[in-house]
Amino acid sequence: MAACSECRQNMGSIDGTRPKLSKDNKKLLKKQAKAKHILLKHEGIETVLHLSQSLVVANGGLGNGVSRQQLLAVLERCGKVETLLMPPNKPYAFVTYSSAEEAIKAYSSLSGQELCGEDAEQPITLYLSFVEKVVVKEVLSPSLPPGLIIVEDFVSPEQERTMLESIDWDSETSSQKSLKHRRVKHYGYEFRYDNNNVDKDKPLPGGLPDFCTEALRKCVQIGLIKHDPDQLTINQYEPGQGIPPHVDTHSAFEDEILSLSLGAEIVMDFKHPNGSVVPVMLPQRSLLIMSGESRYLWTHGITPRKFDVIQVSEGQTVGTISGNSGELTLSKRSTRTSFTFRKVRHSPCDCAFPSECDSQQTQKEKSPPTVGELGASTLEREYVHKVYDDIAGHFSSTRHTPWPKIGDFLASLPKGSLVADVGCGNGKYLGVNKDLCMIGCDRSKNLVDICRERTFEAFVCDALSVPFRAGAFDACISIAVIHHFATEERRIAALQELIRLLRKGGKALIYVWALEQEYKKNKSKYLKESKTSQGPSSDALGTNLAVKAPLPIHTNRTSFHSQDLLVPWHLKPTNKSKVTPENKEQNEKEHGPDSVYHRFYHVFCEGELEAMCNRLSNVAVQHSYHDQGNWCVILEKL
């Protein structure tokens, strides 16, 4: 076939001349080259010119709608297939034959061949290229979210048929809706999609239908539920339909939520707030019970598509879908009808997940703010945000030399890594490694403006809420930032935000100021630069805003005697500072002629930062160390 022309072109003919290529061969080679370029650019897959037993099959992946069985049938025409790897949702596959001769035969006869995907309106064209030996990586199946139970074959085929045939879509004792993505019917109470709740004072006539009694009685008998359901939603999904990720409103329903899958199997995706996703297979006639964390914290949803990626088995059994590319295939969806049973709640929810609970958030909004909450935000606004905006020019002029170990961390990252510098200041580290793609953000607009003047990519945002999607970055750095947050809860939240930004396997480097400025008999540079005489100073007298602050004021270049304190900054006019002839009079009126500002710090004691990191989920502390008066950790997202 024409596709073997590249082999002949690579090897040449016996007399050293290259065979003349036909117009079709040239066209095919051009398309193959384009496929190779796309694989390298977007997936990092390098093809080789020499012959081997392994090939990458471009356009022959699960992401193209090609099933394992379909692709295997084509590949086995050319020889014995030892392994076939089909990564989930990718437009390619890897095949390894038992011999190089069989791989050459596949390359020659299958490149350029058209194949119809399971649901493709247009045929797709396969392009094969040689790769080095493919290594099969074992990936453990993720665990079910805590509190999630699936019972297989909960109803018999006869019960299933009876329940499906008993649905009266036109009954006046229920509420029916045809939503954009599915057909819906409610019993007991109508679920209102405008506020994701029920009208508890307006029950529907008739209660739950009799054809559900046997299934609910079984739930009680085997101890699956504590509450008798009084609300039922029936959803009918055609292939290609789904439901967006959501958490059932806490204030609307009690703990257990039951979902019975009739008519067909389905893959439901559960997602934790930290970004981890667990795809779960719900077999036909199985019962799903969500309680505790899986009900209150994890979102659940069904992706609208006509095929699901599932494990290769004789009928997918219950459980999570692993990422093992050697065990995955496609399953065509059929019409599925779900019966979701819930118990309407008549008192506020007091679950263990207040951050996700509408009942507890509402109660919190109605209550007056605590002194701690009000103090933290006010303190940071007055003694961090405003200060750095005012001293930006002078501060930047003192921050020009990168710290060596931070440079080493950046140098250790692979070329092309996407790195976020959260709290980038004047962008001192944004230009350290030209092989990285670095993006900076900072709370101070004036510091960000300096970054932009230096042609760095930077924008203004709060470190507690960085506007990038979860898992977007290969690495993050947070240098001298987290010690400016006024409470432990806010410091932990800042750490969690860094981890949210990382992809799995991504790393974060974090530096905070240390209480121990003398460590293992070595003084930090901060102490070494202290003046010989330390008499009373304006710092100790509480100059400027500090006279109104309930925190101790640190004397510069001395050891710390408190973890929460105010550290002075003596402003010196620069061409980028806020002090100009036009505003000098106002500046001196507000801050005095010496222009002393005070910055809030929480200096960390030994082990404090590492202990805080160990409280985070899906994180491993790779390294913890002391560097010139700072406590430092390197984290990896698991």
Side-chain angles (χ1 to χ4, degrees):
M1 195 176 174
C4 67
S5 58
E6 186 178 346
C7 279
R8 294 196 299 271
Q9 195 176 44
N10 291 337
M11 295 182 289
S13 59
I14 295 175
D15 60 4
T17 62
R18 293 186 182 277
K20 187 176 180 180
L21 299 178
S22 67
K23 185 177 180 180
D24 288 342
N25 284 344
K26 290 180 180 178
K27 186 177 180 180
L28 177 58
L29 287 175
K30 188 175 181 180
K31 290 186 176 180
Q32 277 186 307
K34 184 178 180 181
K36 290 180 181 181
H37 176 71
I38 292 173
L39 287 171
L40 179 61
K41 181 178 180 181
H42 297 289
E43 302 293 339
I45 298 171
E46 293 190 32
T47 58
V48 295
L49 294 177
H50 60 265
L51 308 179
S52 72
Q53 293 175 243
S54 300
L55 299 136
V56 58
V57 186
N59 292 342
L62 299 174
N64 296 97
V66 178
S67 70
R68 175 176 294 274
Q69 297 84 344
Q70 186 183 19
L71 184 59
L72 197 58
V74 173
L75 296 173
E76 286 180 336
R77 297 175 195 163
C78 302
K80 182 180 178 181
V81 174
E82 288 195 345
T83 60
L84 176 60
L85 306 183
M86 302 186 76
N89 306 313
K90 296 295 184 179
Y92 54 82
F94 297 98
V95 59
T96 299
Y97 283 95
S98 58
S99 69
E101 290 74 18
E102 292 170 321
I104 295 171
K105 182 180 178 182
Y107 177 89
S108 301
S109 60
L110 299 181
S111 288
Q113 178 173 318
E114 290 186 345
L115 182 69
C116 287
E118 295 284 359
D119 193 47
E121 296 181 0
Q122 298 292 331
I124 56 178
T125 304
L126 303 179
Y127 297 105
L128 281 70
S129 299
F130 289 102
V131 294
E132 295 291 354
K133 184 177 180 180
V134 179
V135 178
V136 181
K137 294 182 179 180
E138 290 293 328
V139 180
L140 296 176
S141 296
S143 301
L144 289 173
L148 192 69
I149 299 173
I150 305 172
V151 182
E152 291 188 85
D153 296 319
F154 186 76
V155 296
S156 66
E158 292 75 19
Q159 286 177 295
E160 176 186 40
R161 185 168 55 253
T162 299
M163 294 180 74
L164 291 175
E165 291 175 351
S166 299
I167 301 173
D168 182 1
W169 292 101
D170 300 319
S171 171
E172 295 181 357
T173 61
S174 63
S175 173
Q176 178 186 343
K177 291 183 181 293
S178 292
L179 300 181
K180 180 180 179 181
H181 301 293
R182 62 196 186 280
R183 194 180 184 189
V184 179
K185 191 173 183 66
H186 302 291
Y187 293 88
Y189 293 84
E190 180 180 359
F191 186 84
R192 294 179 53 185
Y193 295 96
D194 58 343
N195 61 3
N196 293 322
N197 213 316
V198 295
D199 193 336
K200 300 173 184 179
D201 298 324
K202 295 181 179 179
L204 297 171
L208 301 192
D210 294 337
F211 56 82
C212 297
T213 302
E214 185 176 353
L216 292 176
R217 186 183 297 121
K218 183 177 179 180
C219 289
V220 175
Q221 289 174 344
I222 61 179
L224 293 176
I225 55 175
K226 300 191 293 284
H227 309 283
D228 291 329
D230 56 7
Q231 196 275 335
L232 166 64
T233 297
I234 300 178
N235 287 286
Q236 191 174 80
Y237 301 88
E238 298 295 337
Q241 296 180 333
I243 185 169
H246 65 283
V247 174
D248 285 66
T249 307
H250 291 207
S251 62
F253 306 109
E254 294 286 355
D255 192 5
E256 300 104 343
I257 293 178
L258 317 178
S259 182
L260 184 62
S261 296
L262 303 182
E265 65 185 17
I266 198 72
V267 172
M268 181 175 285
D269 294 320
F270 285 79
K271 186 174 182 180
H272 191 275
N274 65 13
S276 59
V277 178
V278 178
V280 177
M281 167 58 76
L282 304 181
Q284 184 177 348
R285 298 191 303 280
S286 67
L287 180 69
L288 167 74
I289 304 104
M290 292 183 288
S291 64
E293 183 175 319
S294 65
R295 181 264 187 268
Y296 289 120
L297 186 62
W298 293 63
T299 65
H300 61 279
I302 298 172
T303 303
R305 58 193 175 207
K306 295 186 178 181
F307 291 85
D308 280 322
V309 176
I310 66 168
Q311 307 289 139
V312 179
S313 63
E314 294 182 2
Q316 166 70 38
T317 56
V318 64
T320 59
I321 310 297
S322 80
N324 283 328
S325 54
E327 302 176 354
L328 301 178
T329 188
L330 293 180
S331 172
K332 188 173 184 178
R333 285 185 180 177
S334 301
T335 300
R336 170 180 173 267
T337 305
S338 69
F339 286 62
T340 301
F341 298 95
R342 295 171 279 215
K343 171 66 175 177
V344 172
R345 182 188 292 276
H346 294 281
S347 59
C349 177
D350 60 351
C351 67
F353 307 95
S355 64
E356 308 297 325
C357 181
D358 61 310
S359 289
Q360 297 181 57
Q361 288 298 317
T362 301
Q363 185 63 34
K364 184 177 180 180
E365 290 171 4
K366 292 180 179 178
S367 303
T370 64
V371 174
E373 291 170 341
L374 182 62
S377 60
T378 302
L379 198 65
E380 291 167 16
R381 183 173 64 249
E382 296 295 330
Y383 293 97
V384 182
H385 305 161
K386 288 184 178 180
V387 172
Y388 276 102
D389 260 340
D390 280 357
I391 69 172
H394 182 210
F395 177 82
S396 178
S397 69
T398 66
R399 299 300 191 269
H400 43 75
T401 305
W403 295 345
K405 289 190 177 181
I406 299 174
D408 292 343
F409 173 81
L410 294 174
S412 71
L413 300 175
K415 185 176 180 180
S417 294
L418 183 60
V419 183
D421 186 350
V422 181
C424 63
N426 68 343
K428 181 169 69 172
Y429 294 103
L430 295 179
V432 168
N433 189 338
K434 302 298 183 183
D435 291 332
L436 304 178
C437 179
M438 296 196 65
I439 300 174
C441 59
D442 200 279
R443 186 63 175 73
S444 169
K445 178 182 181 301
N446 291 335
L447 285 173
V448 169
D449 286 343
I450 293 172
C451 291
R452 290 172 177 169
E453 290 174 11
R454 301 172 68 183
T455 69
F456 295 138
E457 295 286 342
F459 63 95
V460 178
C461 79
D462 195 306
L464 296 180
S465 182
V466 182
F468 282 112
R469 64 176 174 82
F473 289 89
D474 300 300
C476 293
I477 60 174
S478 171
I479 311 302
V481 176
I482 292 175
H483 52 216
H484 284 308
F485 288 101
T487 65
E488 183 181 41
E489 291 76 15
R490 293 169 73 82
R491 293 188 282 273
I492 291 175
L495 290 171
Q496 289 172 328
E497 184 68 354
L498 288 173
I499 301 306
R500 184 189 69 81
L501 294 174
L502 291 174
R503 62 167 174 80
K504 293 181 181 178
K507 296 180 180 179
L509 173 65
I510 301 163
Y511 268 57
V512 295
W513 215 357
L515 177 69
E516 299 84 359
Q517 288 298 301
E518 184 172 345
Y519 185 66
K520 294 184 178 179
K521 298 183 179 181
N522 292 318
K523 288 185 177 182
S524 68
K525 185 178 179 181
Y526 178 74
L527 291 184
K528 287 178 180 178
E529 293 180 353
S530 63
K531 297 178 181 179
T532 305
S533 174
Q534 286 290 347
S537 68
S538 61
D539 302 344
L541 298 177
T543 308
N544 192 27
L545 294 175
V547 294
K548 296 181 268 184
L551 291 166
I553 302 170
H554 176 60
T555 300
N556 280 337
R557 307 298 177 183
T558 65
S559 298
F560 294 117
H561 301 289
S562 174
Q563 282 193 269
D564 292 319
L565 41 76
L566 296 174
V567 178
W569 181 275
H570 295 265
L571 181 66
K572 295 180 181 179
T574 69
N575 60 345
K576 293 186 184 296
S577 75
K578 286 285 185 177
V579 183
T580 64
E582 290 75 16
N583 65 14
K584 182 178 180 182
E585 182 179 349
Q586 179 65 25
N587 184 75
E588 291 185 356
K589 185 183 296 184
E590 292 180 3
H591 306 298
D594 293 332
S595 297
V596 179
Y597 290 78
H598 293 84
R599 299 167 292 163
F600 170 80
Y601 281 86
H602 170 86
V603 289
F604 282 66
C605 63
E606 183 173 6
E608 182 180 357
L609 178 60
E610 186 173 358
M612 194 175 291
C613 293
N614 285 328
R615 291 165 60 181
L616 306 176
S617 59
N618 297 324
V619 171
V621 177
Q622 283 196 335
H623 188 35
S624 177
Y625 59 97
H626 188 275
D627 182 24
Q628 281 300 316
N630 296 277
W631 287 114
C632 324
V633 295
I634 297 177
L635 306 178
E636 180 179 3
K637 184 172 182 178
L638 304 180

